Amino acid sequence: MSAHSDKFVSSGPVAEINLSALCENFDILNASAGGAETAAVVKCNAYGLGVAPIATALARRSGCATFFVAYPEEGVALRDAIHPHAPDAKIYVFNGPGTDSLEMFGAARLTPVINTIEQGALWARANPGASAALHVDTGMNRLGAPPESLGEFLAMEDFNIDLFMSHLACASAPSHPMNQRQRELFVSLAERLPGVRRSLAASAGVLMGGDYGFDLTRPGIALYGASPFDHETDQLRPVLRLTAPIVQVRSIKAGETVGYGATFTAPRATTIATVKIGYGDGLPVSGSGKLSVIVHGKRTPLIGRISMDLICIEAPQGDRPPRQGDTVELIGETIGVFEAAQRCSVLPYEMLTGLGGRVVRRYV
Ligand SMILES: *Cc1c(COP(=O)(O)O)cnc(C)c1O
């Protein structure tokens, strides 16, 4: 939301972000890391929650000293935000450098993650002896150098590897045999880089138990209170509370329909509350007819199709009927990010990063 609107109380959706819960999650992950250092992955604007306040809280309250972003531009913004609080923080950039971004790496003191021979040569030529992480792909076949090319990196002049990393493809399913296979390959490759720190685990790798911590862990989603697994977990504290106000309450007769496409027909006389949030704010349309919200402590279903700015809910009956201006909770203690995402058939990651620009972020 633009700066001038911060002066006004939000009239629309609000994402309340609990920085104490964030730091508690950091501590939980740190305690599960088997003695490894815990870094924070804050790419994509800290999964949509706001990189400056998130990284500042982690640096100041939890002593987090290492961060990962995806783009150098994200690294520049992060450096600006945390410089006053943690001037020596280390910032790694997953995607690595290109000729057009080398300057940003220098200006913001960013450390690249090198994924290809070309990137390695570019970095070593531009900054001889400057440290870099090396990402070797142990089976995901997404980003990272093939294991066969390790020798070429080791022989590269002026190339100084300070972190050897890889990424697990199936950690969301802890019993998947691929986890152990990737771990074994990672360990055997790392033997060729004695003394270099090792990093394999993201959130799921930290929380699934077993020996995945090595020297540095890279959790993202778990910091933000959402399960990294294919199932819900009670190991984490919820960080996000997403609310929106009711803009109108109306009564409809049996047989009347609600919303675009008239997908909902009232089986009886029904009170409908219309709420100021929609797919323009990141609520996937696939949640139509599937999501629930909390009104006055009661769970109540969405009805009809989610539209850009609005949703409709069936107003719960009782001694305190919902009224215009009342607040509806879409995500919070009762309905977590994981459940909301599952009802929309999206990943918790998409739910968080999809939060729209109109949603006012408020930090508590
Ligand atoms: C995004 C990312 C992470 C963080 O993953 P989570 O599942 O959010 O913990 C770690 N490592 C790499 C390489 C990533 O791309």
Side-chain angles (χ1 to χ4, degrees), residues 29 40-43 47 68-70 94-95 113 135 140 142-143 165-168 199-206 217-224 227-228 349:
L29 289 156
V41 177
V42 294
K43 61 193 177 186
Y47 291 42
F68 285 86
V69 293
F94 282 134
N95 288 345
V113 176
H135 181 178
M140 182 139 174
R142 183 182 65 170
L143 188 62
M165 63 166 268
S166 193
H167 194 48
L168 297 168
S199 176
L200 181 60
S203 299
V206 177
T217 63
R218 313 185 305 267
I221 191 90
L223 290 170
Y224 312 113
S227 173
Y349 298 81

Side-chain angles (χ1 to χ4, degrees), residues 15-173:
E16 207 176 272
I17 293 146
N18 184 335
L19 295 175
S20 304
L22 168 82
C23 292
E24 271 180 60
N25 289 335
F26 183 94
D27 295 342
I28 291 165
L29 289 156
N30 203 28
S32 311
E37 179 192 345
T38 301
V41 177
V42 294
K43 61 193 177 186
C44 205
N45 194 27
Y47 291 42
L49 300 185
V51 69
I54 293 279
T56 301
L58 289 171
R60 290 185 55 182
R61 299 195 209 172
S62 295
C64 179
T66 305
F67 296 86
F68 285 86
V69 293
Y71 284 78
E73 288 85 349
E74 295 177 333
V76 171
L78 171 59
R79 178 65 75 198
D80 283 346
I82 58 165
H83 183 72
H85 313 286
D88 299 326
K90 184 129 188 165
I91 302 175
Y92 285 103
V93 179
F94 282 134
N95 288 345
T99 43
D100 51 350
S101 66
L102 275 173
E103 214 179 303
M104 273 186 270
F105 280 85
R109 293 181 287 124
L110 309 177
T111 307
V113 176
I114 300 297
N115 302 289
T116 64
I117 293 288
E118 293 73 23
Q119 280 188 334
L122 176 72
W123 181 251
R125 219 170 27 242
N127 304 286
S131 62
L134 175 63
H135 181 178
V136 168
D137 192 308
T138 50
M140 182 139 174
N141 290 316
R142 183 182 65 170
L143 188 62
E148 305 78 61
S149 64
L150 182 54
E152 217 175 318
F153 285 104
L154 295 177
M156 201 176 273
E157 229 170 287
D158 297 323
F159 185 54
N160 174 20
I161 305 167
D162 76 345
L163 181 73
F164 181 65
M165 63 166 268
S166 193
H167 194 48
L168 297 168
C170 299
S172 68

Side-chain angles (χ1 to χ4, degrees), residues 117-360:
I117 293 288
E118 293 73 23
Q119 280 188 334
L122 176 72
W123 181 251
R125 219 170 27 242
N127 304 286
S131 62
L134 175 63
H135 181 178
V136 168
D137 192 308
T138 50
M140 182 139 174
N141 290 316
R142 183 182 65 170
L143 188 62
E148 305 78 61
S149 64
L150 182 54
E152 217 175 318
F153 285 104
L154 295 177
M156 201 176 273
E157 229 170 287
D158 297 323
F159 185 54
N160 174 20
I161 305 167
D162 76 345
L163 181 73
F164 181 65
M165 63 166 268
S166 193
H167 194 48
L168 297 168
C170 299
S172 68
S175 63
H176 198 290
M178 192 149 167
N179 296 318
Q180 197 52 37
R181 276 209 304 276
Q182 284 194 263
R183 186 186 183 284
E184 280 161 22
L185 178 55
F186 179 71
V187 167
S188 76
L189 292 169
E191 278 167 11
R192 297 171 63 188
L193 299 91
V196 175
R197 298 216 299 165
R198 297 167 296 173
S199 176
L200 181 60
S203 299
V206 177
L207 294 176
M208 71 185 175
D211 219 1
Y212 289 86
F214 295 97
D215 301 301
L216 183 78
T217 63
R218 313 185 305 267
I221 191 90
L223 290 170
Y224 312 113
S227 173
F229 299 120
D230 299 335
H231 53 83
E232 184 58 295
T233 173
D234 58 7
Q235 291 171 277
L236 303 164
R237 290 256 286 122
V239 170
L240 171 68
R241 180 168 182 258
L242 179 64
T243 62
I246 292 173
V247 62
Q248 188 177 10
V249 178
R250 69 191 319 125
S251 297
I252 62 171
K253 295 197 272 293
E256 287 196 83
T257 66
V258 174
Y260 284 123
T263 58
F264 174 85
T265 305
R268 52 183 143 32
T270 306
T271 306
I272 308 293
T274 304
V275 182
K276 284 163 87 174
I277 190 166
Y279 62 76
D281 305 298
L283 219 53
V285 178
S286 49
S288 302
K290 304 214 168 87
L291 276 173
S292 303
V293 301
I294 308 291
V295 197
H296 298 171
K298 287 206 185 88
R299 200 183 254 266
T300 180
L302 260 64
I303 54 179
R305 190 191 294 169
I306 293 172
S307 43
M308 186 186 294
D309 316 309
L310 300 166
I311 57 172
C312 292
I313 60 173
E314 186 173 343
Q317 295 309 296
D319 32 344
R320 216 180 135 209
R323 299 174 47 182
Q324 184 189 331
D326 286 356
T327 296
V328 166
E329 183 180 280
L330 294 104
I331 292 176
E333 295 270 353
T334 313
I335 301 171
V337 176
F338 187 89
E339 184 192 330
Q342 203 171 40
R343 287 181 181 275
C344 297
S345 308
V346 301
L347 299 174
Y349 298 81
E350 293 177 75
M351 203 78 201
L352 290 178
T353 57
L355 281 180
R358 261 190 328 206
V359 179
V360 172

